[in-house]
Amino acid sequence: RPPPASLFAAPRRALSTFTSSSPSSTMLRDPPQAKAGAATVALAAGAAGFGGGGLALFAPAFASGRGGNTALPASTNHTNGVDDADRDGKHEVYLSQVENILLGAAAGVIKTYLLMPLATLKYCLQEGRALPRSPFEWYRGVLPNAAFMVPITAAQIWANGVIEKFVSRNGTRTLTPYEKVGCAVAAGAFSALLYAPLDLVVIQQQKLKLNLLATVNHIREEYGHMRFMRGLRACMVREAVYTGGYLGLAPVLSAALKASGPSLFHTNDFLAGLAGSVIAGVAASLVTHPVDTAKTNIQADIAGIQYAGTRQAIVDIVEETGLASLYKGGVARCTQVSSSVFVLSSIRAKALELKRESIEQNQE
């Protein structure tokens, strides 16, 4: 017997809310739940889906399609960034586009430094090389990871905006849910143009045990400039599939938790969105991990002696060490996802609290 239609009503409404606004829509037209859920979804998307957390806190870039303000649930009466008092008597605040960008970049850098050992662990397990013996070695490569946070974030937001503008015919029509997810998929694939060389430099820096400048010079002198793009196709597949799967799944899970999950989620949009985002992020990470393992091994074999491409790498890895070897480092990656969401959500919550206190002091 088919399940009752009401069982899927909440997930359908969440997905529709998450993806219904057009590039020309305004913040005041977005339902409060959509704004809160979108902020959380983008938070976890940046935490893990794009490799370094560049899109953290940027709900508008993938949710509303225009990069406006990100708000907690509140009424639509905004005055200098403050909404009407909520049920607890406190004022809700929202972050402007500039504040989202600056906070997202700063939070991404902090998260990178805190969780770099997990990234190193993943690389070592995927390549089969020995684990570092000193604390310094666990953090080798953290500088380029942190330094690339701002340009990658800017590139991702710009690409998503350009693609949505083109698909919507310069904002003259509303994008469908599938079109919005498709635009995010394309933007994720585009970001691989920056992520691929970044990952390659970090992997080679750890293998060669050189500093950043020496590693870049070594690759350029030995193999030429185009070698920085080795592993690009695998990286594009990873980013595209992860982004599409994540953005399609997170809002559905969040709505399901809020509608029929534990009572803890029924009245807390942010917590439901956070839990749904973590689950979706972990699931999307596991789905894309085999191609990520292939990418890591291709970039570690920078001379191209062992692996000619992604397909060969996957086939050879399975034949030599078994199917399970494609998931080496998967636990480390999923742990990184969960930890990233916790770190970034804590930073965002603190930023909103500080802004609320500042605005309230100015109003006294």
Side-chain angles (χ1 to χ4, degrees), residues 98 108 115 121 142 149 158 175 180 192 217 221 239 244 267 270 278 309-310 317 353 357:
V98 174
L115 303 179
L121 176 62
V142 69
M149 199 59 57
W158 173 83
L175 297 178
K180 291 188 72 68
N217 287 335
E221 293 172 358
E239 298 302 324
T267 58
F270 181 79
V278 170
T310 305
I317 291 172
E353 179 184 346
E357 292 176 354

Side-chain angles (χ1 to χ4, degrees), residues 59-335:
F62 286 101
S64 70
R66 62 172 299 193
N69 297 323
T70 301
L72 294 175
S75 69
T76 57
N77 182 16
H78 307 287
T79 305
N80 297 325
V82 183
D83 295 295
D84 287 339
D86 61 14
R87 290 186 299 270
D88 298 325
K90 295 183 179 180
H91 290 91
E92 296 293 354
V93 300
Y94 62 92
L95 300 177
S96 68
Q97 180 181 13
V98 174
E99 289 170 335
N100 270 323
I101 294 174
L102 294 177
L103 180 61
V109 170
I110 295 172
K111 186 272 301 182
T112 299
Y113 275 93
L114 289 175
L115 303 179
M116 185 62 192
L118 287 174
T120 300
L121 176 62
K122 181 183 78 77
Y123 290 141
C124 291
L125 294 175
Q126 288 177 322
E127 295 176 45
R129 57 182 163 96
L131 297 178
R133 295 185 177 181
S134 68
F136 175 79
E137 292 298 324
W138 284 98
Y139 278 89
R140 188 181 292 277
V142 69
L143 181 59
N145 256 331
F148 266 65
M149 199 59 57
V150 175
I152 288 179
T153 296
Q156 289 170 332
I157 294 176
W158 173 83
N160 192 75
V162 169
I163 295 169
E164 283 198 339
K165 185 176 181 180
F166 174 78
V167 176
S168 66
R169 299 172 186 172
N170 204 25
T172 59
R173 70 177 185 86
T174 301
L175 297 178
T176 67
Y178 296 105
E179 286 175 333
K180 291 188 72 68
V181 173
C183 290
V185 168
F190 174 82
S191 69
L193 293 173
L194 294 177
Y195 268 122
L198 170 62
D199 285 350
L200 183 138
V201 169
V202 172
I203 290 171
Q204 288 299 313
Q205 187 177 352
Q206 292 185 348
K207 287 191 65 177
L208 299 172
K209 301 187 184 302
L210 300 174
N211 60 42
L212 175 59
L213 183 59
T215 302
V216 172
N217 287 335
H218 171 79
I219 297 173
R220 178 175 54 83
E221 293 172 358
E222 291 291 328
Y223 307 104
H225 293 88
M226 291 304 298
R227 194 55 61 97
F228 286 99
M229 290 297 175
R230 181 165 172 79
L232 175 62
R233 292 182 181 178
C235 191
M236 292 180 71
V237 172
R238 181 193 70 181
E239 298 302 324
V241 174
Y242 179 94
T243 307
Y246 178 84
L247 291 181
L249 184 61
V252 175
L253 290 175
S254 299
L257 287 172
K258 184 172 176 60
S260 56
S263 58
L264 178 66
F265 301 114
H266 292 175
T267 58
N268 194 319
D269 291 328
F270 181 79
L271 190 58
L274 189 66
S277 298
V278 170
I279 297 172
V282 171
S285 296
L286 291 176
V287 170
T288 58
H289 198 72
V291 74
D292 181 66
T293 298
K295 180 203 67 69
T296 298
N297 282 274
I298 290 171
Q299 292 179 327
D301 177 36
I302 190 171
I305 297 175
Q306 188 173 3
Y307 304 115
T310 305
R311 183 180 300 178
Q312 181 196 341
I314 292 177
V315 172
D316 288 354
I317 291 172
V318 172
E319 289 181 350
E320 293 174 4
T321 55
L323 183 62
S325 60
L326 290 176
Y327 284 91
K328 288 182 177 179
V331 174
R333 189 179 179 198
C334 292
T335 303

